[in-house]
């Protein structure tokens, strides 16, 4: 089979390797579409902290069942998406149902080879029927589930004023699912094009440029109160630390971003607000189901999010092109 291999930072190769044999309790999936996310670009750039090279990337996956175990709920040819988090099922977190926070979790395309290939064999529990969602759209379910999980972690409701900082794909997914809960959503970013997309296509109620005057503008917008929920999707320590100043009294701060370095904040200000700091990691099965529900209801503009498309055969060239900021990629999808 063909596979896209990241041999080392900055070097990709389209290689031929044996197709995987289906393991016991696994489903062999014929991969049809692969979404490319920031993690993949970080791997390509050599910036991912938990990865050994060479690696086949790809964790935003849809395809069709090639072979399933006897007695499986899945049938050959059935359209499916893949949940890329391989949890152990036995650790403290897994026993509590928090499989997204498994102590020994392996993520496809990061800790082990992923789906930028023609075939992939994964545990049956990680393979889910698309429920009528088009396969090219199903390749976007995973990144959208990240935002849905963060919104759930923040317990967002229609009573909340929400600020999403960072209007990349993950921030956009948070906007979609905060709006689905009826919240008033403001988005903040440095890029005018991303702000325009968030308000024009995703339903964000207001936008804010992340410049030196942001604090004063937030005070004006909220009458000096701040936001009930702040969701950080910037992936940068400086903006994460800055976000503490945007919290209202009694607010929740959800960190969708993860950074390698320590972050600091003013403890007196945090305590004065009786704020809550919340980590959000990966997603859970009900988050994936929520994405499918909102897609089915027509509340997710998948075709607008999918700004770039290409073939696996051309991926070596496309990856370099799409990794440039001026390419304007929101979500790129490879067709396998």
């Amino acid at each position: 089979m063909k596979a896209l291999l990241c041999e080392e930072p900055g070097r990709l190769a389209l290689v031929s390797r044996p197709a995987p044999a289906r393991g016991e309790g696994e489903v062999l999936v014929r991969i049809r579409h692969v979404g490319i996310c920031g993690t993949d670009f970080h791997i390509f750039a050599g910036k991912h902290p938990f990865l050994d090279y060479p690696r086949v990337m790809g964790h935003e996956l849809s395809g069709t069942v090639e072979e399933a175990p006897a007695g499986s709920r899945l049938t050959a040819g059935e359209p499916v998406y893949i949940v890329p988090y391989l949890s152990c099922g036995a650790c403290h977190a897994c026993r509590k149902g928090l499989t997204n926070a498994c102590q020994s979790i392996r993520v496809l395309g990061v800790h082990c080879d992923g789906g930028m290939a023609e075939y992939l064999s994964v545990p049956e529990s990680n393979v889910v029927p698309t429920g009528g969602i088009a396969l090219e759209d199903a390749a976007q379910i995973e990144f959208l589930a990240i935002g849905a999980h963060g919104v759930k972690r923040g317990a967002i409701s229609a009573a909340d004023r929400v600020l999403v900082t960072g209007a990349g794909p993950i921030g956009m997914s948070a906007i979609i699912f905060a709006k689905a809960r009826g919240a008033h959503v403001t988005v903040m970013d440095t890029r005018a094009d991303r702000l325009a997309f968030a308000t024009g296509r995703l339903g964000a109620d207001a936008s804010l440029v992340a410049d030196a005057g942001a604090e004063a503008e937030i005070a004006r917008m909220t009458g000096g109160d701040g936001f009930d929920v702040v969701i950080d999707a910037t992936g940068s320590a400086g903006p994460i630390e800055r976000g503490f100043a945007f919290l209202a009294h009694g607010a929740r701060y959800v960190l969708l971003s993860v950074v390698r370095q320590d972050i600091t904040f003013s403890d007196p200000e945090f305590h004065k607000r009786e704020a809550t700091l919340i980590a959000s990691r990966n997603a859970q099965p009900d988050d994936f189901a929520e994405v499918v529900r909102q897609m089915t209801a027509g509340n997710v503009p998948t075709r607008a999010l999918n700004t770039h498309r290409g073939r696996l055969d051309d991926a070596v060239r496309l990856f370099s092109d799409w990794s440039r900021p001026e390419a304007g990629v929101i979500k790129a999808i490879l067709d396998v």
Side-chain angles (χ1 to χ4, degrees):
M1 69 172 185
K2 296 175 184 176
L4 183 68
L5 186 68
C6 189
E7 298 176 316
E8 61 184 21
R11 192 171 77 185
L12 299 175
L14 188 67
V15 301
S16 178
R17 54 166 51 180
R22 184 180 64 80
E24 184 177 355
E26 293 187 340
V27 174
L28 183 64
V29 178
R30 171 71 165 90
I31 301 299
R32 300 294 183 181
H33 304 282
V34 184
I36 298 176
C37 84
T39 297
D40 301 312
F41 287 125
H42 287 156
I43 292 170
F44 178 61
K47 297 179 180 179
H48 199 287
F50 305 120
L51 186 121
D52 294 320
Y53 297 88
R55 176 66 70 227
V56 175
M57 300 177 291
H59 61 273
E60 300 179 4
L61 309 170
S62 67
T64 53
V65 174
E66 186 74 11
E67 182 183 339
S72 172
R73 59 187 170 80
L74 300 166
T75 58
E78 187 170 9
V80 294
Y81 66 87
I82 294 175
V83 177
Y85 320 128
L86 307 181
S87 54
C88 73
C91 71
H92 178 69
C94 285
R95 293 197 304 272
K96 293 173 64 179
L98 304 176
T99 53
N100 62 307
C102 171
Q103 291 171 225
S104 56
I105 197 167
R106 293 182 303 138
V107 179
L108 293 173
V110 179
H111 305 97
C112 55
D113 282 347
M116 289 189 187
E118 292 181 296
Y119 295 94
L120 187 67
S121 186
V122 291
E124 182 177 4
S125 58
N126 291 77
V127 182
V128 186
T130 59
I133 300 297
L135 275 176
E136 57 264 42
D137 294 339
Q140 299 185 58
I141 290 175
E142 191 273 341
F143 96 85
L144 291 162
I146 299 291
H149 184 67
V151 166
K152 181 181 71 178
R153 291 279 287 152
I156 290 173
S157 74
D160 291 319
R161 291 186 297 188
V162 176
L163 173 67
V164 176
T165 58
I170 298 299
M172 290 181 182
S173 68
I175 293 167
I176 290 167
F177 291 97
K179 287 303 300 178
R181 291 184 173 219
H184 184 281
V185 179
T186 299
V187 57
M188 184 167 80
D189 199 275
T190 58
R191 289 178 53 173
D193 60 333
R194 290 292 178 90
L195 296 176
F197 185 90
T199 53
R201 302 303 302 267
L202 305 181
D205 299 284
S207 63
L208 177 65
V209 178
D211 59 15
E215 281 82 358
E217 182 61 14
I218 286 172
R220 185 197 66 79
M221 294 170 71
T222 65
D225 292 333
F227 288 93
D228 302 300
V229 183
V230 176
I231 298 178
D232 175 83
T234 64
S236 181
I240 291 174
E241 293 179 342
R242 188 184 189 190
F244 283 90
F246 306 151
L247 299 171
H249 283 238
R252 288 95 69 197
Y253 193 8
V254 181
L255 301 186
L256 282 179
S257 294
V258 59
V259 294
R260 298 184 66 174
Q261 61 267 58
D262 293 344
I263 58 171
T264 61
F265 56 91
S266 168
D267 186 60
E269 287 295 325
F270 189 72
H271 268 80
K272 181 174 72 176
R273 289 167 167 79
E274 198 181 46
T276 302
L277 181 60
I278 302 168
S280 182
R281 184 186 186 193
N282 300 327
Q284 296 171 327
D286 63 316
D287 303 311
F288 284 84
E290 172 65 7
V291 173
V292 172
R293 281 193 295 271
Q294 296 299 338
M295 279 186 169
T296 302
N299 295 329
V300 182
T302 51
R303 302 306 162 91
L305 291 167
N306 178 199
T307 54
H308 293 67
R309 192 88 170 260
R311 298 166 61 244
L312 180 69
D313 288 354
D314 301 321
V316 173
R317 171 183 58 82
L318 292 173
F319 232 89
S320 295
D321 292 345
W322 290 343
S323 64
R324 296 179 294 107
E326 57 267 30
V329 172
I330 294 177
K331 178 56 58 179
I333 292 179
L334 290 174
D335 301 327
V336 182

